[in-house]
């Protein structure tokens, strides 16, 4: 029996998940190919919405797509993990080990064979070598990063409301995400005016930093 053509897709973002879904529906369901999608996260969220999750003005649970459910529905396979290395000559890919939040090993690294490899790993925010950004800034390239920012933001917002001090927030980058994040945070401050004790309410000093002459 001839083994089905093996297609390995790296990255479960918009591109990767769309390709896996379409190939699974057209080739995986008929058995003409084995479609496998790998991603470090078991869920997919629409990346342009990350700034709303970071600000806390939108609920990420309403925007999530389960990789496992999508794979089962559209006849492809989902494997959790991140790409560690690729050997093009032997057509093998090695995934990084998966660890729990406290550092314990959950799944060791795996070696995957493929006939066709599709890289759809996406992109990360570019700091353009701006001094201090890597060391001191939050990034919101993923849902986990967005949630980490929101946790910190909410804690500081409560402290600000209780003490009456001003919360200073600087956003580096005047692109779509930076501008929309600033707008979402400003909107949230209006909603959060009920947080304070007595006459104390959250006070915000929001600065958008952009190197270009216009937004």
């Amino acid at each position: 029996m001839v083994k089905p053509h093996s297609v390995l897709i790296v990255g479960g973002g918009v591109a990767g998940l769309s390709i896996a879904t379409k190939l699974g529906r057209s080739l995986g369901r008929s058995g003409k190919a084995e479609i496998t999608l790998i991603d470090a996260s078991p869920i997919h969220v629409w990346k342009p919405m990350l700034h709303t999750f970071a600000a806390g003005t939108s609920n990420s649970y309403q925007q999530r797509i389960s990789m496992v459910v999508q794979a089962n529905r559209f006849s492809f396979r989902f494997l959790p993990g991140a790409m560690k290395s690729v050997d093009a000559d032997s057509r093998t890919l090695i995934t990084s080990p998966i660890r729990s939040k406290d550092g314990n090993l959950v799944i060791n690294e795996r070696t995957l064979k493929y006939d066709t490899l599709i890289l759809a790993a996406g992109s990360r925010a570019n700091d353009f070598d701006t001094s201090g950004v890597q060391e001191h800034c939050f990034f919101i390239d993923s849902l986990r990063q967005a949630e980490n920012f929101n946790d910190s933001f909410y804690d500081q917002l409560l402290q600000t409301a209780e003490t009456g001090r001003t919360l200073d927030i600087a956003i580096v980058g005047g692109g779509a995400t930076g501008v929309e994040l600033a707008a979402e945070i400003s909107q949230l401050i209006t909603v959060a005016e009920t947080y304070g004790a007595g006459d104390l309410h959250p006070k915000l000093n929001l600065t958008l930093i952009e190197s270009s002459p216009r937004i």
Side-chain angles (χ1 to χ4, degrees), residues 138-194:
F138 285 93
F139 285 80
I140 51 173
D141 285 318
S142 67
L143 178 59
R144 178 172 293 182
Q145 290 180 340
E147 291 176 337
N148 287 342
F149 171 83
N150 181 254
D151 289 342
S152 177
F153 174 53
Y154 181 73
D155 290 343
Q156 293 185 57
L157 193 63
L158 290 181
Q159 291 179 344
T160 300
E162 192 68 20
T163 62
R165 68 178 179 85
T166 300
L167 175 59
D168 293 304
I169 297 178
I171 299 174
V172 181
T177 299
V179 171
E180 291 175 10
L181 177 61
E184 294 290 333
I185 290 175
S186 297
Q187 175 184 335
L188 184 64
I189 290 296
T190 302
V191 176
E193 288 182 351
T194 57

Side-chain angles (χ1 to χ4, degrees), residues 8 10 38 82-87 90-96 110-114 117 119:
L8 182 60
V10 179
I38 67 170
M83 181 178 67
K84 179 181 179 181
S85 63
V86 175
D87 187 331
S90 62
R91 294 191 175 184
T92 56
L93 179 146
I94 298 177
T95 63
S96 298
R110 289 170 292 185
T111 300
L112 306 175
K113 298 284 292 183
Y114 65 84
L117 177 65
L119 297 180

Side-chain angles (χ1 to χ4, degrees), residues 3-16:
K3 186 178 179 180
H5 189 87
S6 174
V7 179
L8 182 60
I9 303 167
V10 179
V14 174

Side-chain angles (χ1 to χ4, degrees), residues 17-200:
L17 189 60
S18 296
I19 293 170
T21 299
K22 291 181 179 180
L23 291 180
R25 187 162 45 195
S26 61
L27 300 177
R29 188 164 294 169
S30 63
K32 295 179 180 178
E34 182 181 75
I35 314 301
T36 302
L37 173 68
I38 67 170
D39 193 275
S41 175
I43 58 172
H44 166 85
V45 295
W46 177 239
K47 192 170 183 179
M49 291 290 290
L50 287 178
H51 67 279
T52 66
F53 307 147
T57 54
S58 180
N59 188 344
S60 66
Y61 287 94
Q62 298 174 346
Q63 307 289 335
R64 299 183 181 201
I65 296 175
S66 167
M67 297 288 199
V68 174
V69 172
Q70 186 80 354
N72 183 65
R73 182 181 178 188
F74 292 101
S75 304
F76 65 90
R77 183 174 61 151
F78 170 71
L79 289 179
M83 181 178 67
K84 179 181 179 181
S85 63
V86 175
D87 187 331
D89 293 330
S90 62
R91 294 191 175 184
T92 56
L93 179 146
I94 298 177
T95 63
S96 298
I98 297 176
R99 297 186 178 276
S100 63
K101 290 183 179 180
D102 54 9
N104 293 325
L105 180 65
V106 177
I107 299 176
N108 211 333
E109 66 178 34
R110 289 170 292 185
T111 300
L112 306 175
K113 298 284 292 183
Y114 65 84
D115 295 311
T116 299
L117 177 65
I118 299 174
L119 297 180
S123 62
R124 294 181 178 180
N126 192 341
D127 64 2
F128 297 100
D129 295 323
T130 305
S131 179
V133 169
Q134 286 288 340
E135 296 83 359
H136 304 292
C137 285
F138 285 93
F139 285 80
I140 51 173
D141 285 318
S142 67
L143 178 59
R144 178 172 293 182
Q145 290 180 340
E147 291 176 337
N148 287 342
F149 171 83
N150 181 254
D151 289 342
S152 177
F153 174 53
Y154 181 73
D155 290 343
Q156 293 185 57
L157 193 63
L158 290 181
Q159 291 179 344
T160 300
E162 192 68 20
T163 62
R165 68 178 179 85
T166 300
L167 175 59
D168 293 304
I169 297 178
I171 299 174
V172 181
T177 299
V179 171
E180 291 175 10
L181 177 61
E184 294 290 333
I185 290 175
S186 297
Q187 175 184 335
L188 184 64
I189 290 296
T190 302
V191 176
E193 288 182 351
T194 57
Y195 285 179
D199 293 330
L200 295 179

